Amino acid sequence: MTTALARSVLRSCSAWLIFVFLCGLTPRMHGQEARWTEDRANQWYQRQRWPVGANFLPSGAINQLEMFQKATYDPAEIDKEFGWAESAGMTTMRIFLHDLLWKQDEQGLEERLDNLLGIAAEHHIKPVLVLFDSCWDPTPLLGPQHPPIPGVHNSGWVQSPGIALADPAQSTRLREYVTGIVGRFSNDDRILAWDVWNEPDNPGGGNYTNLPNKVQLVEVLLPQVFEWARSANPTQPLTSGVWGQRSWDDPSAWTPTERIQLTQSDIISFHNYGWPEDFEARIVSLEKLHRPILCTEYMARGSGSTIDTILPIAAHHHVGAINWGLVQGKMQTYLPWDSWQVPYVNRRPAVWFHDLFYPNGTPYRQREIDIIREASKEMNK
């Protein structure tokens, strides 16, 4: 090959790779499933019960690590709280995993997740499992977790992989985590979907110091995570939820991260904590993609997002609805986000921000539980 021809080929390959990256696409690996077609995604959705539920962490755990580590995994508490969810008509829970759990104890994580899925199935709940997360503390550590910071919302939640994003040497470990856990449960009908990365381009939240080039690193790794998960040929769909404050009507205005999410996801998911009219506008903008839609985070009572106003809209559009928080606990998400600036130590919020039940199973507001139960019954006739 001549030097001129070699340079031409390299330029062509480089241009193609740039196009692939900007379009949020990745080359298909040999023997690997492609992104689901619209028909396959919609047929899958027609076979499911209407997904309505909550983001779940047992009330006795402060984060994903405390939930799943051997010393603190509490199946009895999970069973009890899933029972309250089932009584409210819920059919799904969104549950966060963590790459360090796999690093610490692959077999143990698989066994505990299998146990949790068994408990969920007994309560007719099919979880959405989250692999990575860009929110809150970027320096996760295994072992005993610190107690909640008094009066502060979600003061112990940890990112995955967090600052490990900046270490290329972690790539193999992260790939093995994704292919390992998805591969182990790839044919498990007890799982509703895989949420490959929660709010990947979120700056972090709280009072933490994050990587200055975090979003750029995510934009490189996120397509790989989709590819790794898809290489395990899961029978469940993949998704990653868009969450920004912009409308998604115009594809040319999507950020690079949103483009990856919206062109790689088998089913579309999004987050919204705004007023009902804003929530519905987001649904309408995403319906143009002709795929099933899940809202995997909503309900912030003090910000105008409530069960009363949001759930009927979701049901009308046949959009899945997963609010933040089931039971008040160590996560302290009944407190608002502004508690990071002024902790609620000697005061209480006017209304709970998130969460539906007190730790004894009493509903924070019975009417909310009635609305969920009634909507679920109607949608699942």
Side-chain angles (χ1 to χ4, degrees), residues 50 52 88-91 370-381:
W50 182 49
V52 59
M90 291 184 167
T91 62
D370 295 341
I371 291 170
I372 297 170
R373 185 184 298 117
E374 292 161 8
S376 181
K377 182 178 179 180
E378 180 64 24
M379 293 291 289
N380 291 309
K381 281 183 177 179

Side-chain angles (χ1 to χ4, degrees), residues 279-295:
F279 177 81
E280 187 162 31
R282 301 308 174 91
I283 292 175
V284 171
S285 73
L286 294 172
E287 284 176 331
K288 297 175 182 179
L289 300 176
H290 309 297
R291 290 176 180 269
I293 302 172
L294 303 182
C295 177

Side-chain angles (χ1 to χ4, degrees), residues 364-375:
Y364 170 67
R365 183 166 165 259
Q366 182 62 48
R367 180 56 186 150
E368 292 178 334
I369 304 304
D370 295 341
I371 291 170
I372 297 170
R373 185 184 298 117
E374 292 161 8

Side-chain angles (χ1 to χ4, degrees), residues 249-270:
D249 281 296
D250 181 6
S252 68
W254 293 346
T255 67
T257 303
E258 290 171 340
R259 184 167 299 277
I260 297 165
Q261 293 173 289
L262 293 173
T263 61
Q264 286 288 307
S265 292
D266 299 317
I267 61 174
I268 303 301
S269 58
F270 77 103

Side-chain angles (χ1 to χ4, degrees), residues 15-330:
W16 179 79
L17 288 171
I18 291 170
F19 171 78
V20 162
F21 174 72
L22 291 177
C23 290
L25 303 174
T26 51
R28 183 177 175 180
M29 297 172 63
H30 178 69
Q32 176 185 328
E33 290 279 348
R35 184 197 188 198
W36 286 13
T37 64
E38 292 176 13
D39 284 345
R40 180 181 178 184
N42 287 306
Q43 289 173 16
W44 167 85
Y45 197 50
Q46 291 171 6
R47 296 193 299 269
Q48 310 304 317
R49 291 191 300 159
W50 182 49
V52 59
N55 284 266
F56 179 77
L57 189 73
S59 58
I62 195 171
N63 59 28
Q64 319 93 300
L65 300 177
E66 193 162 52
M67 175 177 179
F68 277 108
Q69 289 187 113
K70 181 178 180 180
T72 46
Y73 179 67
D74 191 346
E77 186 64 34
I78 292 168
D79 180 52
K80 179 175 66 177
E81 296 182 11
F82 278 4
W84 299 336
E86 180 185 19
S87 71
M90 291 184 167
T91 62
T92 188
M93 292 282 120
R94 184 166 177 252
I95 296 171
F96 290 71
L97 306 177
H98 200 287
D99 64 278
L100 290 183
L101 294 165
W102 181 263
K103 178 181 179 181
Q104 179 188 52
D105 183 7
E106 297 175 18
Q107 182 177 348
L109 175 60
E110 288 183 359
E111 290 173 352
R112 288 185 283 280
L113 181 54
D114 182 70
N115 176 261
L116 179 142
L117 291 172
I119 296 170
E122 290 176 359
H123 293 287
H124 310 289
I125 288 169
K126 293 179 69 170
V128 175
L129 299 178
V130 185
L131 298 177
F132 293 110
D133 185 5
S134 285
C135 296
W136 306 107
D137 189 346
T139 56
L141 296 172
L142 291 165
Q145 302 298 295
H146 69 74
I149 300 172
V152 175
H153 172 107
N154 218 357
S155 63
W157 196 263
V158 290
Q159 295 184 34
S160 171
I163 59 172
L165 269 172
D167 182 2
Q170 300 299 317
S171 178
T172 298
R173 178 180 68 81
L174 297 177
R175 174 177 54 80
E176 291 175 348
Y177 158 60
V178 173
T179 58
I181 201 71
V182 176
R184 167 64 176 80
F185 295 95
S186 62
N187 294 303
D188 199 320
D189 190 54
R190 298 174 297 176
I191 297 171
L192 184 67
W194 298 96
D195 187 338
V196 302
W197 202 317
N198 176 63
E199 300 190 359
D201 53 347
N202 191 309
N207 299 326
Y208 303 105
T209 300
N210 278 269
L211 296 167
N213 59 339
K214 177 180 176 180
V215 173
Q216 289 77 14
L217 292 169
V218 164
E219 289 168 359
V220 173
L221 186 58
L222 180 57
Q224 297 179 57
V225 174
F226 270 108
E227 182 178 297
W228 296 338
R230 216 177 291 285
S231 73
N233 297 325
T235 55
Q236 314 92 348
L238 308 180
T239 192
S240 177
V242 290
W243 66 283
Q245 298 304 308
R246 298 166 301 280
S247 169
W248 300 296
D249 281 296
D250 181 6
S252 68
W254 293 346
T255 67
T257 303
E258 290 171 340
R259 184 167 299 277
I260 297 165
Q261 293 173 289
L262 293 173
T263 61
Q264 286 288 307
S265 292
D266 299 317
I267 61 174
I268 303 301
S269 58
F270 77 103
H271 298 170
N272 183 267
Y273 288 105
W275 293 100
E277 57 270 26
D278 183 53
F279 177 81
E280 187 162 31
R282 301 308 174 91
I283 292 175
V284 171
S285 73
L286 294 172
E287 284 176 331
K288 297 175 182 179
L289 300 176
H290 309 297
R291 290 176 180 269
I293 302 172
L294 303 182
C295 177
T296 50
E297 288 187 27
Y298 81 99
M299 193 183 75
R301 296 180 183 91
S303 296
S305 178
T306 67
I307 298 291
D308 308 55
T309 58
I310 298 299
L311 205 60
I313 296 172
H316 174 74
H317 289 270
H318 204 207
V319 167
I322 305 175
N323 69 271
W324 189 275
L326 185 67
V327 182
Q328 178 194 40
K330 291 175 73 174

Side-chain angles (χ1 to χ4, degrees), residues 331-370:
M331 191 162 47
Q332 297 184 161
T333 51
Y334 72 99
L335 300 171
W337 295 315
D338 68 12
S339 60
W340 278 93
Q341 283 69 54
V342 183
Y344 282 67
V345 176
N346 297 315
R347 57 190 177 123
R348 295 182 178 180
V351 294
W352 277 16
F353 200 62
H354 302 317
D355 303 332
L356 296 171
F357 291 96
Y358 287 97
N360 65 1
T362 300
Y364 170 67
R365 183 166 165 259
Q366 182 62 48
R367 180 56 186 150
E368 292 178 334
I369 304 304
D370 295 341

